Amino acid sequence: MLVQERMTGNPITATVNTSHSEAVGLMRQHRIRRLPVLDLAGRLVGIVVEKDILSTAPSPATVLSIYEVHALLSKLRLADIMTTPVLTVTEDCPVEEAARIMIAHRIGCLPVMRGDALVGVITETDIFKTLAEALGAGEPGVRITVRTQRQRGVLHHLTGHVADAGGAIASMLTINEPDGEHKRVTLKVLGARPDQLQAALSAYADLDLTDLRLIEKPFEPLPLGV
């Protein structure tokens, strides 16, 4: 899966001359937390995130009047507070590589470029959505997690046992463990009962069945402090 399949195209942008107050208005109007910043020729030169906006706003304890605060913020330009240079990726960057870059640099967004043109933005939310879809979140079925050796043929045997139990794999995700020798595989399976799947997988000595549960409806958040 590539960035171009998960990004938000034609993102809302600002310019180096956009004021602090105008940037706040754009973020509120479009319910976004990041603004790519373009120069007067339309080239990407920086990015401003919600944290930048908040950190440059006066403290609630300021002795300035509300009129003085507005006057100061109206004079503050994004060129003064933007992050530059800005890290970017291209449309054909794999999604997992975009996620790795965000983690490595502790950022929540990457502008997406086609040559010198800004064509989109991919955010941490887009990555979360991709992960949720890869795991079949919100979909009914039997959710299975197994721990197994990292060796050739393991996934072939695993999927074969699921098929033998009458199951069809709707989603599958593998994660390598830190020891370098094992991995965990999580599947969402349709068309088979939990007991059928447990019997089929338990017979395979090279698989450690760590979790098997029937998901009949999406999990709901538990409100606290109400």
Side-chain angles (χ1 to χ4, degrees):
M1 189 174 295
L2 304 179
V3 162
Q4 62 188 356
E5 301 172 67
R6 308 303 302 186
M7 71 183 189
T8 298
N10 301 314
I12 303 300
T13 62
T15 74
V16 289
N17 287 335
T18 299
S19 71
H20 183 286
S21 301
E22 290 169 336
V24 170
L26 282 172
M27 288 184 173
R28 288 177 177 172
Q29 177 185 352
H30 298 283
R31 297 182 179 181
I32 55 178
R33 292 182 292 155
R34 301 150 180 111
L35 277 173
V37 182
L38 310 180
D39 66 13
L40 300 184
R43 296 183 296 258
L44 180 70
V45 292
I47 192 166
V48 169
V49 300
E50 188 177 48
K51 182 178 68 175
D52 301 323
I53 296 294
L54 294 174
S55 65
T56 52
S59 163
T62 180
V63 296
L64 297 175
S65 71
I66 188 171
Y67 305 104
E68 291 172 316
V69 168
H70 282 304
L72 285 173
L73 294 182
S74 66
K75 294 177 182 177
L76 185 62
R77 297 290 181 254
L78 295 193
D80 302 318
I81 63 174
M82 69 184 185
T83 297
T84 188
V86 55
L87 297 178
T88 68
V89 292
T90 57
E91 296 170 284
D92 62 351
C93 175
V95 168
E96 65 271 20
E97 286 300 302
R100 182 188 58 78
I101 292 169
M102 290 187 205
I103 293 168
H105 294 275
R106 298 183 179 182
I107 55 178
C109 167
L110 285 167
V112 183
M113 307 298 292
R114 183 187 300 154
D116 292 333
L118 175 70
V119 294
V121 169
I122 187 163
T123 70
E124 56 198 0
T125 300
D126 298 321
I127 302 297
F128 285 143
K129 287 180 179 178
T130 302
L131 176 62
E133 290 176 18
L135 285 167
E139 298 295 328
V142 181
R143 184 183 188 275
I144 301 168
T145 300
V146 298
R147 183 174 186 263
T148 185
Q149 294 282 336
R150 292 176 61 182
Q151 59 188 24
R152 183 179 300 176
V154 168
L155 292 181
H156 172 74
H157 289 299
L158 172 59
T159 56
H161 283 289
V162 170
D164 290 343
I169 297 174
S171 64
M172 181 168 65
L173 184 71
T174 66
I175 297 179
N176 293 328
E177 294 196 344
D179 65 7
E181 297 180 358
H182 296 86
K183 61 184 173 184
R184 288 183 183 268
V185 185
T186 298
L187 309 94
K188 182 68 70 67
V189 177
L190 307 177
R193 299 193 313 269
D195 60 321
Q196 293 173 313
L197 291 164
Q198 183 161 4
L201 296 175
S202 297
Y204 186 24
D206 291 336
L207 291 179
D208 178 14
L209 182 60
T210 62
D211 185 60
L212 188 150
R213 64 182 71 186
L214 177 63
I215 305 293
E216 297 181 292
K217 60 181 181 179
F219 277 61
E220 295 295 337
L222 302 175
L224 295 177
V226 177

